[in-house]
Amino acid sequence: MKTYRHLFFDLDHTLWDFETNSEEVLRFQYDDHRLARYGFTVEQFMTYYSEVNHALWRLYQGNKITQQQLRTTRFARTLTKLGVPEDELPADMSDQYTSLLPHKTAVFPYTFEVLDYLKDKGYALHLLTNGFREIQHVKLSAARLTDYFREVITSECSGCLKPDGRMYQHALDRAGTTAADSLMIGDNLECDVLGAANAGLDQVYFNPAKRRHFAQTTYEIACLSELKEIL
């Protein structure tokens, strides 16, 4: 089995349990803004938000909208689709969500056990994320993940987004390593698997839902504990 020295992890949906943390914030906002009066359930609110947010993130990752447009559009579009009149859209929902979310602490099962194992084995651990810089650092601190990682590389500090090969090269340069010595671990087939492959890195596709796909991956796991079988 090939030997690696540097491991690059995605954060959201890979270590930090974005869906669980986001759901907690959205449920709070549904109650806080008394959205039930408009006739839709909290489950409908979360479903519509997820659909809108994912669509906008795809545009952002394709450099078709800005970070600010993503942030300001997602709640307005969600609530409009659910029938909230435009003149009654809460003005502070985006800022409230952005403020509350990073302080949530849910991580995937075996996160700490696996990170401890990898550090003890002598691997250099890094983060490579398209998430917003200030938010990702708050997440890491709140979830007690900061001390595991030598480098935290965000799209803002690299000037581009995964799957752009320039972001991977920037990450390798920051870590002082090469693609041949590195392994990318993430949940997104396009950004984390194909992006890394195109940049010359081996990849681990984290697929806890065991979604069917036809991509070629170096490794695939459904649980973080399976990394112990690879590394």
Side-chain angles (χ1 to χ4, degrees):
M1 189 173 289
K2 185 174 177 181
T3 301
Y4 307 97
R5 293 172 46 244
H6 292 261
L7 309 180
F8 293 86
F9 281 87
D10 180 45
L11 180 59
D12 295 344
H13 307 283
T14 300
L15 298 173
W16 195 78
D17 191 344
F18 182 92
E19 297 301 335
T20 295
N21 291 319
S22 180
E23 179 178 318
E24 187 175 331
V25 175
L26 292 172
R27 286 184 180 276
F28 169 80
Q29 290 187 294
Y30 180 84
D31 292 335
D32 188 51
H33 292 275
R34 298 183 298 113
L35 297 180
R37 61 196 159 119
Y38 294 106
F40 53 85
T41 66
V42 66
E43 287 77 17
Q44 289 173 314
F45 172 55
M46 291 190 297
T47 297
Y48 273 68
Y49 174 81
S50 179
E51 292 172 354
V52 168
N53 190 47
H54 279 109
L56 290 172
W57 263 98
R58 285 193 293 271
L59 293 175
Y60 173 65
Q61 290 172 338
N63 293 309
K64 295 179 180 178
I65 61 172
T66 66
Q67 176 190 126
Q68 188 59 29
Q69 287 173 318
L70 187 156
R71 286 182 172 180
T72 58
T73 303
R74 54 191 175 185
F75 280 100
R77 187 170 295 180
T78 297
L79 295 175
T80 300
K81 283 175 173 284
L82 286 163
V84 178
E86 287 194 21
D87 61 352
E88 296 181 26
L89 293 174
D92 65 334
M93 283 197 76
S94 181
D95 288 341
Q96 182 185 50
Y97 179 85
T98 302
S99 175
L100 293 174
L101 181 64
H103 296 278
K104 301 302 177 183
T105 59
V107 296
F108 278 94
Y110 299 100
T111 290
F112 295 109
E113 178 182 321
V114 167
L115 292 177
D116 284 332
Y117 166 84
L118 295 173
K119 282 200 76 172
D120 289 344
K121 293 273 284 187
Y123 291 103
L125 309 182
H126 314 284
L127 275 176
L128 184 57
T129 170
N130 280 350
F132 307 134
R133 181 181 182 278
E134 73 276 14
I135 292 177
Q136 300 303 69
H137 280 280
V138 175
K139 288 178 185 176
L140 290 171
S141 177
R144 297 180 291 113
L145 292 170
T146 302
D147 292 342
Y148 287 102
F149 300 103
R150 293 189 187 180
E151 297 289 342
V152 177
I153 301 104
T154 67
S155 53
E156 289 161 292
C157 75
S158 65
C160 46
L161 292 154
K162 293 181 294 183
D164 192 320
R166 291 173 297 174
M167 185 170 181
Y168 282 95
Q169 188 57 54
H170 177 80
L172 295 172
D173 291 343
R174 279 270 298 271
T177 187
T178 64
D181 280 339
S182 303
L183 182 68
M184 178 69 202
I185 302 146
D187 72 290
N188 189 295
L189 272 175
E190 181 181 359
C191 293
D192 301 320
V193 174
L194 299 180
N198 290 336
L201 286 78
D202 285 356
Q203 334 84 42
V204 178
Y205 176 38
F206 178 51
N207 185 15
K210 298 184 178 179
R211 295 184 180 89
R212 188 181 181 197
H213 66 91
F214 300 98
Q216 294 295 315
T217 66
T218 313
Y219 310 99
E220 180 170 339
I221 60 174
C223 178
L224 291 174
S225 64
E226 295 175 63
L227 285 174
K228 291 183 178 183
E229 301 170 15
I230 301 169
L231 300 165

